[in-house]
Amino acid sequence: MNVQVTQQAKEDALAPLLRQAFRPMFLFGALFSVLAMALWGLVLSGAVSLNPYANVVFWHQHEMLFGFVAAIIVGFLLTAVQNWTGVRATHGYPLLWLTLIWLAGRLLMLFGGSVPAVLVAVVDLAFLPTAALFFAAILLKAGKLKNMFFVPVLLLLAVCNLLMHLGVLLNQFHFISHGSTNAVWLITLIMAVVSGRVLPMFTANGTQTPRVQPVAWLDKLALGSLWLIFALHFFLLVQYIPSAVMSALFAVAALATLVRLVRVRFWVTLKVPLVWSLHVAVAFIPIGLALFALRYAGMNISASTAIHALTAGAMGIMILSMMARVSLGHSGRPLQPKRLMTLAFMLIIVAASVRVITGGWFPVSALGWYSWAIAAWVLAYGFYIVIYFPILTTPRADGRPG
């Protein structure tokens, strides 16, 4: 009893923001995405000029992947691992340290135009390996290594980040492109793995319908094709492969991920925003892959348009949807978001759709449309911050640790 009292006293003394990784990572990650996108929009319009690390285009490209998306991935994994293992996940001072490392990286990337580039790179590169170390330690302590898969993925993401920094330090643009592109393939793979695990469960629980069981060969085909796409790009083998073969590979990946999604039955989720928003997010994965298939087949589709289907589309929508759900579930609250979040989901879908459609088919007027897409993004994530700030900064509603 005394041990329990002591543990409860320690929990009560701990700031709620530091009790689970999703709390600071989701809150600061969402806030950062609003600030970063707003600044990017102001730069595009010519209203402001920035002097970030490297240059402003590099800053936008890098920070949306390794500032924003990486923070949410780490927040999700270091929260989910407690459910997976039963071991108390990263909290307290270790979580504070991890958050400060992330924050220092963002500040140096934004204001580091006159700071030694090596210092900026070292600080920024520390975040993902530190998170991987915390994650691995929990799995090892529990003796449950099933999800150790995410440790090398986090470290591979760190390698992609390193490549981008080496591109700056060595003035080699192809390193920057190589790092950012492969980060997109890795994050797409993470989204495919996670959505394959949770989407059938979320759909069944949210709609009170039978859970759709996975098809082993379909999962292997979808994930295997995504692994192959990553490997071919990471090891610079794409240049040796005919465009028709690459087009076929992307088409197979697009079809496999689409069939995998359709089987989960989007149409039963239309009254459950926390679920249909996630379905829409996952739908952008086959859309992005199909755009790459068409690009390799010779159609006039830019790599940027296809990439943004995966980044602004799949990542942007999935992150908002998952944050909205995880923040409620892991704070001991019912999975019933405020009605304003439905508008937020619609806005982020509009933002992604406008970015992809105008960039690919209306390039002449794209800049004006980008401003609307950015505004929709800022509003969507702004709504999340306003609604979830009190949830992320107060104790669990059910009194449990976390």
Side-chain angles (χ1 to χ4, degrees):
M1 179 63 71
N2 290 336
V3 173
Q4 292 178 348
V5 170
T6 302
Q7 290 176 341
Q8 186 61 47
K10 289 182 178 179
E11 187 73 24
D12 292 341
L14 189 62
L17 196 63
L18 297 177
R19 294 184 185 182
Q20 278 276 37
F22 78 92
R23 293 175 176 271
M25 291 292 106
F26 287 7
L27 179 59
F28 295 140
L31 180 59
F32 175 73
S33 84
V34 168
L35 295 175
M37 287 299 289
L39 280 174
W40 179 239
L42 292 171
V43 168
L44 288 179
S45 68
V48 302
S49 60
L50 296 178
N51 181 35
Y53 171 79
N55 58 69
V56 71
V57 175
F58 176 93
W59 175 80
H60 171 69
Q61 184 180 37
H62 178 277
E63 288 300 85
M64 293 311 291
L65 289 172
F66 294 105
F68 167 54
V69 176
I72 307 306
I73 290 174
V74 167
F76 173 78
L77 290 178
L78 287 180
T79 300
V81 72
Q82 182 165 308
N83 283 358
W84 297 339
T85 63
V87 173
R88 186 74 163 91
T90 307
H91 64 286
Y93 285 113
L95 180 55
L96 175 62
W97 175 242
L98 184 66
T99 304
L100 290 176
I101 291 174
W102 176 84
L103 180 60
R106 309 294 60 80
L107 292 174
L108 285 173
M109 290 294 299
L110 179 57
F111 301 109
S114 56
V115 175
V118 172
L119 174 62
V120 179
V122 168
V123 174
D124 179 58
L125 287 167
F127 176 65
L128 285 170
T130 303
L133 179 64
F134 287 164
F135 185 81
I138 297 167
L139 293 178
L140 290 172
K141 182 178 180 179
K144 297 181 180 180
L145 306 184
K146 176 183 177 182
N147 292 292
M148 193 63 78
F149 151 84
F150 288 108
V151 174
V153 170
L154 288 174
L155 294 178
L156 281 171
L157 268 179
V159 171
C160 293
N161 194 10
L162 173 62
L163 286 170
M164 292 195 74
H165 282 291
L166 287 177
V168 174
L169 296 171
L170 302 177
N171 196 28
Q172 297 292 325
F173 175 78
H174 63 281
F175 280 12
I176 296 173
S177 177
H178 192 56
S180 62
T181 301
N182 282 288
V184 171
W185 300 135
L186 268 178
I187 296 168
T188 300
L189 178 64
I190 292 173
M191 290 190 295
V193 170
V194 172
S195 64
R197 292 184 182 185
V198 304
L199 195 57
M201 177 179 62
F202 288 177
T203 301
N205 293 346
T207 63
Q208 299 301 302
T209 57
R211 180 172 178 174
V212 174
Q213 297 303 314
V215 176
W217 68 265
L218 182 60
D219 285 352
K220 290 178 181 178
L221 180 61
L223 300 181
S225 59
L226 289 174
W227 267 119
L228 184 56
I229 287 170
F230 166 72
L232 292 176
H233 284 84
F234 188 78
F235 293 108
L236 301 172
L237 299 175
V238 175
Q239 59 189 314
Y240 304 111
I241 299 175
S243 295
V245 175
M246 288 302 300
S247 179
L249 174 58
F250 274 103
V252 168
L255 183 60
T257 52
L258 177 61
V259 172
R260 196 168 175 242
L261 172 62
V262 171
R263 290 188 67 253
V264 191
R265 302 163 302 141
F266 168 78
W267 53 91
V268 304
T269 71
L270 298 179
K271 295 182 179 180
V272 190
L274 281 180
V275 183
W276 65 248
S277 58
L278 190 55
H279 277 256
V280 174
V282 177
F284 270 89
I285 296 177
I287 289 172
L289 296 171
L291 289 174
F292 271 105
L294 294 172
R295 172 177 166 79
Y296 274 107
M299 289 192 64
N300 186 25
I301 297 173
S302 70
S304 176
T305 296
I307 285 286
H308 276 85
L310 298 173
T311 54
M315 296 179 202
I317 302 168
M318 184 178 292
I319 284 173
L320 189 62
S321 179
M322 289 292 285
M323 288 198 308
R325 184 186 185 92
V326 170
S327 299
L328 292 174
H330 284 275
S331 63
R333 291 169 170 82
L335 297 178
Q336 298 172 353
K338 301 285 188 182
R339 289 185 178 181
L340 193 59
M341 279 309 299
T342 300
L343 177 58
F345 295 147
M346 292 178 177
L347 283 168
I348 197 65
I349 292 168
V350 167
S353 301
V354 168
R355 177 58 184 86
V356 172
I357 293 171
T358 57
W361 286 271
F362 304 100
V364 175
S365 59
L367 188 58
W369 284 106
Y370 289 171
S371 298
W372 288 105
I374 289 169
W377 179 293
V378 169
L379 281 174
Y381 276 89
F383 288 155
Y384 171 83
I385 293 166
V386 170
I387 294 169
Y388 282 85
F389 180 85
I391 293 173
L392 297 171
T393 57
T394 56
R396 284 182 62 110
D398 57 10
R400 293 171 55 194

